[in-house]
Amino acid sequence: MPNSPDRRRRPAALPKGRPVDPAAQEEVRALLGDAPRRRDGLLDALHRIQDRFGCLHVRHLAALAAEMRLAQTEVFEVASFYAHFDVVHEGEAPPPPVSVRVCDGIACTMAGVEDMVRDLAGRLGPGVRIVRAPCMGGCDHAPSATVNHTPVEPAAPDSVLAALDGTYRVRIPAPVRFAEYRAQGGYALLGACHDGRRTPEEVIAALEESALRGMGGAGFPTGRKWRLVRGEPAPRHLVVNADEGEPGTFKDRHYLETDPHRFLEGMLLAAWVIEAAEVHLYLRDEYPQARAILHAEIATLEDAGLVAPGFIRVHRGAGAYICGEESSMLESIEGKRPLPRHKPPFPAQVGLFGRPTLINNIETLFWARDIVEKGAAWWGAQGRHGRQGLRTYSVSGRVRLPGPKVAPAGITVRELIDEFCGGMAEGHAFKAYLPGGASGGLLPASLGDLPLDFGALEPHGCFIGSAAVIVLSDKDDLRRVALNLLRFFRNESCGQCTPCRVGTEKAVLLLEHDPGNRAGFEALTKVMTDASICGLGQAAMNPVRSILRHFPEELA
């Protein structure tokens, strides 16, 4: 009977969920200080705890959930997703106090990182662990490593040991600071916008006439995107994607560490055009020096009265390639597990916090000021082979002088190697290249005269993407290259959709044990390309597909 005394539900002896430790809650409160207890501050709060205690004890996660009025599952699923967070349960030993993260990306593998790891393993003392990490954005200084948050580039056993004992001299960037940038005419354009000498329509028209396209990978026309977002109802947001996790890509890091205000002015120009209520800058965790520069220079902008305090918020990523996908990044900023959203709706209509959102990457905004000031004709005259504009190519691999190369859009890889990289490295003959990083496919040297630009590579099964050009030589085993890239995609899959989660795993197994199974690769490629939710799964098979097309003997 419903009202029978013996059938009444008795109150639980303990509340549901993990009980909150009062001492842990006080520690969390002290770390958060007066920061707002908003969900979009969850990632920052997790970083504060990890930085303070070296890991995320579950007692602190439970206390954080109570402090932010979130369900414990909402905090735990975020904390356990990212590679840079170490969740420690009761009874488990915390990680060693020092972590040496060693990049096993393709450029670092080519530079001999495996030999370095073997050497280090026998020389590290107690309290130090070696952690394999995906590309860190230091491909031009390969191999790359970090000791906790100290970048060691190029890394070698001796330099890593020096970083451990505090004698390593970290490379210190020397960016153009606010006063110097302003003395060179910086922020004059922004001032003209604010005082009415420029209109939003003029700015958008200049970008549309220049045909500037997004430099983050997708290549959507920039002026058109600004116009679309401006036409949506307010409030609107601007989000800057500085989470360049594509293996071989480091151009955004270069601009943040050398000329940050040119990007910041382009960012504020975009915010003015769309009348953004807030600006959110999502920066990958592997760039601690760029983060320090940004915080310092944004504070200078606030002191100078160019932006209101708090108008620009810098969000620190935590080691997840998927956050480079725009909708995953929005989820991460909102304090959720960063799973890609289904589209439509697109972020221009329903983006951050459900509001219309403009998303651009660093390099796209970097060029905005020059294009508006100098005009579309100037921009159009910079290209080569019938292309327009400039492009920053992240060049790594078997060249004498790797690094970020500002070159005419449409330059060929042969021209890039010969004119900007000092030719091939000693003892290496040009064999193949990845024109757009891990997901952009692979082309033979015989196709080295194609323009490196949008639309030129697609007929050959590749795309330019973020212009991460990785040069391979006759000393490189392309099957091993493809295996390195497929392992990266397998490890970085968010796991949301079955085609990507299972497909990347199966692709790795085929490459390891049955590389001649062409039918298996083709079936995987079709399913993953057609059915994956986002670009990670859709493009993951591009390296294998390219080898089957151009180098079938490598997988025989």
Side-chain angles (χ1 to χ4, degrees), residues 40-63:
D40 56 316
L42 178 57
L43 205 56
D44 176 69
L46 292 170
H47 273 299
R48 294 190 190 199
I49 297 171
Q50 173 92 14
D51 290 345
R52 169 64 181 82
F53 297 101
C55 61
L56 299 175
H57 291 285
V58 293
R59 64 179 183 273
H60 290 131
L61 296 180

Side-chain angles (χ1 to χ4, degrees), residues 486-518:
L486 261 295
R487 285 172 175 162
F488 168 80
F489 289 124
R490 176 196 63 188
N491 296 341
E492 293 299 318
S493 173
C494 74
Q496 179 180 194
C497 67
T498 303
C500 178
R501 181 183 67 250
V502 178
T504 52
E505 177 67 29
K506 286 186 174 293
V508 169
L509 291 174
L510 280 178
L511 274 175
E512 289 175 337
H513 304 293
D514 192 12
N517 190 344
R518 187 183 187 105

Side-chain angles (χ1 to χ4, degrees), residues 22-35:
Q25 190 160 24
E26 286 304 313
E27 289 173 330
V28 168
R29 283 175 178 166
L31 284 173
L32 297 185
D34 58 359

Side-chain angles (χ1 to χ4, degrees), residues 211-222 251 361 363-364 379 384-393 408-411 435-436 450-459 462-467:
L212 175 68
R213 296 174 66 171
M215 303 290 192
F220 194 87
T222 303
K251 59 189 177 67
N361 85 313
E363 190 190 359
T364 307
W379 180 254
R384 190 179 290 190
H385 302 300
R387 307 288 164 157
Q388 297 183 22
L390 295 169
R391 185 114 199 198
T392 309
Y393 298 91
I411 194 172
L450 296 172
L452 292 173
D453 200 17
F454 299 109
L457 308 175
E458 283 79 355
C462 294
F463 57 83
I464 188 64
S466 60

